[in-house]
Amino acid sequence: MRGVSGLARLLGAGHFVVTCEVGPPKGVNVDGLTEKAALLKSFVDAANVTDCQTAVVRLSSIAACVHLAAMGLEPVVQMTARDRNRIAVQSDLLGAYSLGIRNVLCLTGDHQKFGNHPGAKGVFDLDSVQMVEMVRRLGAPGEFQCGEPVCGEPPVFFVGAVENPCAEPLELRVRRLEKKIRAGARFVQTQCVYDLDRFRHFMGLVRARGLHEHAHILAGVTPLKSVRMARFMRDAVAGVYVPDEVVARIEAAADPAAEGVAMCVEQIAALREIEGVAGVHIMAVAWEAIVPEIVRRAGLYPRPADDEPKDRNR
Amino acid sequence: MIVVEAKSFAQVAAMTSDCRRLLVAACAGCTAVCGVGGERQAEELADALRLHARLRGKVLETEVRGVTRQCEPEFVAEFAPAMGRAEAVLTLGCGVGAQFLAERYPNVPVLPGVNTRFAGGLTAPGVWEERCRLCGDCVLHLTGGICPRTRCAKGIMNGPCGGAAGGFCEVGGGSPCAWLLIWERLERLGRAGVLDEIGPPPDWSDAQAGPRRSGKGGGAE
């Protein structure tokens, strides 16, 4: 069961990486998933598979990651604390590792109230920081949360976390990010950035603490597809900050989707100039098909080759 | 204190519809303070249930009795004569009181007239808010005296999560983000450095091991 994360290797080699997000189906038919993988695989370095995002039941992230890996796409399994206690998280991650998955993104998770089973019991046995630490310890020194050793080869995951760079108070966000990194996060994907000035300020605080030297920070971007989406992201999505100018630009455009893509490409160009930003994470919610165009126009195509063999699974 | 809410009249009427002689058991403790379980409310509920039955061509006899606290055996014993006359008891005590009644009077059906909600305190006239989840593993010394397990919708120890907006919890209800409150308070106290430590995972081994017991004056046995 050898093999390390291809994502870790590319980041370690200093490449400006591109990741994207893939939502698994609300059922068992994976045709759509494999189509997405075929479309995306030469344009991104890894794809995160969401874990029942917004608390809506979907195909499991681990299963979807295995399908993506079979298509030649490097998967990042997302793991939320909402639905699993510490026993289930560790068990699921042993399973994921045994199936060849090497990247994990630890999240607290959206509250169950927003999903399609609002009456479900949220678990939240651990939070994301505690989960990061637990997953790091599974790999080194190779022990479970209770302190017992893992049998045999320890599962050394490339552990990721998230942070919201535009939420107040910024200083608290940075301190919390530092805590996640000290807990063991080696890459960080941010909530989507629309306000570049705020993000620059956030990165200044990150650099002041040297956090970018201990973890690879990938800035999140989400292309706006319509006026409705722009307003929705501004008004209704918790944790996302969309300035009025951004909404106004989409409103004024003859072709809002094209304007959204143009804006996203500009944002990526600006993000690349910020010291400490190691890549971008494109969250094209239900619009994965646009990712290749964004990557091309941002000058990020072709992607660097990952020379290591992909046959790490079995 | 224990905060309770009255069940809807329709629920209570349905629950008691087969009964001809009903004891309505009040409690002068927390539920009376909540304005739903005292003797006056018990009298009003009994009147309404009798009227409801009469309008349906039925006869319902009610008796109202109250005790200081239904959660103590010696007070529960005071119900004995009335229990002897009743077909069922509708209690306005909390869930603890209801279970103490059921234990002491095994032959009388116990019907809950209230929903037992949480341990809370008065935050505005007539408004109680949950302040303690009774987890048995108090962390208030780490969190500026503000309980994240209770007041954060996700009960997390290393917040705030990514969902807080404008200082409020994404889950709604107008609740301030507990972690912003914790941060502000620790800053004011000059103790914000506490937040740089990883808050520990909760220990549920006591809280989920069946009914908990505690000796007089503190610590569990």
Side-chain angles (χ1 to χ4, degrees):
Chain A
M1 192 64 53
R2 277 190 294 274
V4 295
S5 156
L7 180 61
R9 212 158 35 227
L10 290 174
L11 283 164
H15 294 290
F16 188 85
V17 311
V18 180
T19 58
C20 72
E21 206 147 281
V22 171
K26 269 169 108 171
V28 296
N29 187 328
V30 296
D31 293 348
L33 196 64
T34 50
E35 278 168 30
K36 285 176 197 170
L39 181 82
L40 295 167
K41 71 175 185 184
S42 50
F43 293 91
V44 298
D45 304 309
N48 290 32
V49 181
T50 50
D51 176 16
C52 298
Q53 73 265 35
T54 62
V56 171
V57 177
R58 289 171 182 273
L59 184 80
S60 87
S61 181
I62 293 171
C65 281
V66 171
H67 290 296
L68 295 189
M71 297 290 292
L73 192 50
E74 166 104 0
V76 178
V77 65
Q78 294 196 1
M79 181 68 52
T80 70
R82 178 192 57 232
D83 306 320
R84 298 171 184 83
N85 67 11
R86 62 197 81 174
I87 299 170
V89 170
Q90 293 177 103
S91 169
D92 281 352
L93 287 179
L94 293 183
Y97 197 88
S98 78
L99 291 162
I101 297 166
R102 294 293 179 267
N103 309 300
V104 56
L105 188 78
C106 299
L107 303 139
T108 301
D110 295 317
H111 196 274
Q112 65 277 5
K113 184 183 168 182
F114 300 111
N116 60 356
H117 295 76
K121 184 179 194 303
V123 180
F124 301 111
D125 179 34
L126 301 178
D127 58 37
S128 55
V129 180
Q130 294 158 352
M131 202 201 290
V132 165
E133 183 170 56
M134 182 175 79
V135 180
R136 190 255 302 155
R137 284 176 55 206
L138 275 180
E143 62 186 24
F144 294 110
Q145 198 261 348
C146 64
E148 280 178 21
V150 175
C151 285
E153 178 201 340
V156 183
F157 281 102
F158 187 45
V159 185
V162 297
E163 195 43 81
N164 191 337
C166 295
E168 300 291 346
L170 222 49
E171 190 197 336
L172 177 55
R173 294 284 166 189
V174 176
R175 285 174 89 138
R176 187 159 166 273
L177 175 60
E178 179 165 14
K179 193 150 76 167
K180 287 186 174 184
I181 292 170
R182 270 196 289 119
R186 290 294 162 263
F187 71 101
V188 174
Q189 292 173 320
T190 80
Q191 182 58 278
C192 27
V193 176
Y194 290 102
D195 186 332
L196 286 161
D197 289 336
R198 267 200 208 202
F199 184 72
R200 284 190 191 97
H201 181 47
F202 170 82
M203 284 305 297
L205 297 174
V206 164
R207 287 192 303 270
R209 286 178 175 254
L211 304 185
H212 62 305
E213 287 159 9
H214 300 285
H216 305 283
I217 295 170
L218 313 186
V221 293
T222 294
L224 295 168
K225 196 177 185 179
S226 64
V227 173
R228 189 163 153 263
M229 179 185 176
R231 289 177 182 155
F232 182 76
M233 295 285 279
R234 179 188 61 189
D235 302 333
V237 181
V240 176
Y241 178 73
V242 187
D244 287 333
E245 318 71 279
V246 168
V247 179
R249 182 171 159 187
I250 300 293
E251 283 171 339
D255 182 346
E259 194 68 20
V261 171
M263 193 184 297
C264 189
V265 169
E266 288 167 25
Q267 283 165 341
I268 292 173
L271 291 166
R272 285 177 80 175
E273 299 302 315
I274 299 172
E275 187 191 344
V277 174
V280 283
H281 177 56
I282 306 172
M283 293 171 275
V285 188
W287 197 21
E288 289 95 340
I290 198 65
V291 170
E293 183 183 336
I294 292 171
V295 174
R296 266 185 209 282
R297 286 174 54 185
L300 293 167
Y301 184 83
R303 302 303 313 141
D306 179 15
D307 300 329
E308 295 289 316
K310 290 273 188 190
D311 61 348
R312 71 176 76 105
N313 298 16
R314 283 164 269 248
Chain B
M1 67 174 203
I2 303 301
V3 177
V4 303
E5 282 175 4
K7 282 186 179 285
S8 74
F9 182 75
Q11 281 178 301
V12 173
M15 214 184 275
T16 56
S17 63
D18 294 336
C19 185
R20 288 164 300 167
R21 290 189 310 281
L22 182 70
L23 169 63
V24 182
C27 179
C30 309
T31 88
V33 179
C34 289
V36 296
E39 285 200 46
R40 190 167 61 82
Q41 291 88 20
E43 294 280 5
E44 287 169 3
L45 184 57
D47 290 347
L49 287 169
R50 283 199 314 277
L51 178 62
H52 181 78
R54 197 185 318 143
L55 292 174
R56 276 155 186 73
K58 293 182 174 180
V59 176
L60 173 67
E61 291 174 28
T62 60
E63 180 173 359
V64 171
R65 286 279 176 272
V67 295
T68 306
R69 282 188 294 279
Q70 289 188 18
C71 55
E72 288 191 37
E74 66 182 276
F75 294 123
V76 174
E78 295 172 13
F79 284 119
M83 284 289 183
R85 296 185 286 271
E87 271 182 18
V89 55
L90 174 69
T91 174
L92 303 185
C94 71
V96 178
Q99 292 188 63
F100 267 48
L101 289 179
E103 269 172 47
R104 174 119 196 161
Y105 305 103
N107 300 320
V108 183
V110 175
L111 312 173
V114 301
N115 290 323
T116 305
R117 297 290 313 279
F118 48 77
L122 200 65
T123 54
V127 177
W128 287 267
E129 187 171 290
E130 185 171 21
R131 285 298 163 91
C132 175
R133 197 142 283 183
L134 312 178
C135 73
D137 181 26
C138 196
V139 293
L140 290 172
H141 58 301
L142 301 175
T143 58
I146 294 163
C147 178
R149 294 202 178 128
T150 307
R151 296 173 69 180
C152 163
K154 298 175 183 174
I156 60 177
M157 270 304 288
N158 292 280
C161 77
F168 287 91
C169 175
E170 62 173 344
V171 177
S175 300
C177 170
W179 278 100
L180 291 185
L181 297 180
I182 291 168
W183 157 259
E184 284 168 8
R185 178 151 165 80
L186 290 174
E187 280 271 278
R188 189 177 306 127
L189 296 172
R191 300 189 64 227
V194 173
L195 295 181
D196 292 335
E197 301 303 316
I198 296 176
D203 179 359
W204 297 112
S205 59
D206 175 56
Q208 296 185 342
R212 290 174 278 185
R213 293 182 189 85
S214 183
K216 189 171 183 179
E221 76 241 74

